[in-house]
Amino acid sequence: MTTSSTPLPGAGDHAVADPGPPAPRRRGDGAAALAFLTPAIITFLVFVLAPTVGVLVLSFYDWNLLSDGEFVGLDNFDRLLHDGRLLGVYGSTTYMALAILAVNVVAGLLLAVLLEARMPRWLRGFFRLSFLFPFVVSASAVALIWRFLLNKDLGLVNYLLGLVHVDRIDWLGSSAFAPVSVIIVNSWKTIGFSILVYIAGLQSIPDQLREAAIVDGANAWTRFWRITFPLLSPTIFFLVVINTINSFQIFAEPRVLTQGGPGDSSRTIVEYLYDRAFGDFDLGYASAIGITFALVLVVLTAIQFWFSRRWTFYT
């Protein structure tokens, strides 16, 4: 039985011609695609998959880098449940991470909106570069500079506070202000990335929508809440996810500024993991901490994706 491409009666000029069979794949396309993907595949296998499998296997062993490892099964994970110090470190990490997240998402949006306001082009470029420059500088270098600025006796911050008759603050040696110092330094370094992404999102919003709202009499707040925020919600969601992951993994700032102290008030999970692995040479337990911490980040990300369905709008 043969098929005909003759149009149906009454179809007129709107009949759709038979597209015919798909074009055959050219010989060598698969090999070319594999050649382009090979570097990425090798990088993933060597630097992602292999270390992940290695850490998973190591979490079932007791190994101190010097002697042969001893298989201990789930003992390392059982230790997690009885490690009271670990719970405190999770608390300090969560406190600093949520504060950094709020600064990057909220303050970053405010600064991005201000930078998109009417101003000379050279001034806008100067401010953008000023906010982005700390992001490309090494975290250790940034922390070293701020360690001097926040010094209780010789730091510039306390000197400026003294000019307005504020008592000197022990930024790095107080359990109340040490985590605040980490929040300030990390936010100062990373907020430029959020501002840059926000600016890209703001520039993607059609000007016609704002102009139509102005014609209808909408004020600045109404235009932001009814037009800018809904259209910017995918950008906000992206920054929430990225900043959550990054803020929970901070290491250089607390390590250089406070060494996690006093006590564990400014210690993060990554720093605690590092101390267990290369301070106590307890690599099996450190691997168990790393595995559970990775699962926590996965769960947090999944929750964010689930909630994003209620407030994220895609055009």
Side-chain angles (χ1 to χ4, degrees), residues 199-238:
I199 289 175
L202 289 170
Q203 292 179 346
S204 67
I205 299 175
D207 292 334
Q208 294 86 342
L209 296 178
R210 297 192 185 96
E211 294 170 357
I214 293 174
V215 171
D216 291 339
N219 57 30
W221 173 250
T222 302
R223 294 197 303 272
F224 175 82
W225 190 247
R226 298 293 183 181
I227 298 176
T228 303
F229 184 82
L231 295 179
L232 204 60
S233 57
T235 303
I236 298 174
F237 171 61
F238 168 78

Side-chain angles (χ1 to χ4, degrees), residues 18-26:
D18 186 0
R25 180 180 297 177
R26 291 184 300 176

Side-chain angles (χ1 to χ4, degrees), residues 10-255:
D13 295 335
H14 298 285
V16 179
D18 186 0
R25 180 180 297 177
R26 291 184 300 176
R27 185 175 300 174
D29 283 354
L34 182 61
F36 282 111
L37 291 173
T38 297
I41 294 173
I42 294 176
T43 301
F44 174 79
L45 293 176
V46 174
F47 295 104
V48 178
L49 185 60
T52 301
V53 173
V55 169
L56 181 61
V57 172
L58 195 58
S59 65
F60 297 103
Y61 283 81
D62 180 12
W63 186 44
N64 61 6
L65 281 177
L66 301 176
S67 61
D68 294 335
E70 177 185 357
F71 181 78
V72 295
L74 297 175
D75 287 357
N76 287 322
F77 294 94
D78 182 66
R79 288 176 59 187
L80 295 174
L81 303 176
H82 303 90
D83 188 350
R85 187 181 176 192
L86 179 63
L87 183 61
V89 173
Y90 262 109
S92 61
T93 302
T94 303
Y95 163 59
M96 292 185 289
L98 292 179
I100 293 170
L101 174 64
V103 171
N104 276 274
V105 174
V106 179
L109 176 58
L110 176 62
L111 290 171
V113 172
L114 292 176
L115 287 176
E116 283 298 287
R118 294 179 179 270
M119 67 175 66
R121 187 177 225 174
W122 66 269
L123 188 59
R124 181 184 292 113
F126 170 77
F127 281 122
R128 289 181 183 178
L129 182 62
S130 299
F131 284 113
L132 187 60
F133 178 73
F135 179 72
V136 300
V137 179
S138 167
S140 298
V142 169
L144 282 173
I145 295 172
W146 275 95
R147 185 176 180 179
F148 173 75
L149 295 175
L150 294 173
N151 184 274
K152 180 181 179 181
D153 300 316
L154 304 175
L156 179 62
V157 174
N158 276 337
Y159 171 76
L160 295 176
L161 291 176
L163 296 179
V164 293
H165 307 290
V166 176
D167 293 336
R168 294 180 182 272
I169 298 174
D170 190 3
W171 292 99
L172 306 179
S174 167
S175 58
F177 286 99
V180 175
S181 301
V182 175
I183 293 167
I184 292 173
V185 175
N186 185 269
S187 300
W188 181 82
K189 172 177 168 48
T190 58
I191 196 171
F193 173 76
S194 298
I195 293 173
L196 187 66
V197 175
Y198 273 132
I199 289 175
L202 289 170
Q203 292 179 346
S204 67
I205 299 175
D207 292 334
Q208 294 86 342
L209 296 178
R210 297 192 185 96
E211 294 170 357
I214 293 174
V215 171
D216 291 339
N219 57 30
W221 173 250
T222 302
R223 294 197 303 272
F224 175 82
W225 190 247
R226 298 293 183 181
I227 298 176
T228 303
F229 184 82
L231 295 179
L232 204 60
S233 57
T235 303
I236 298 174
F237 171 61
F238 168 78
L239 287 174
V240 167
V241 173
I242 293 299
N243 282 301
T244 299
I245 296 173
N246 291 338
S247 59
F248 269 91
Q249 296 184 90
I250 56 174
F251 172 78
E253 291 86 349
R255 193 67 179 181

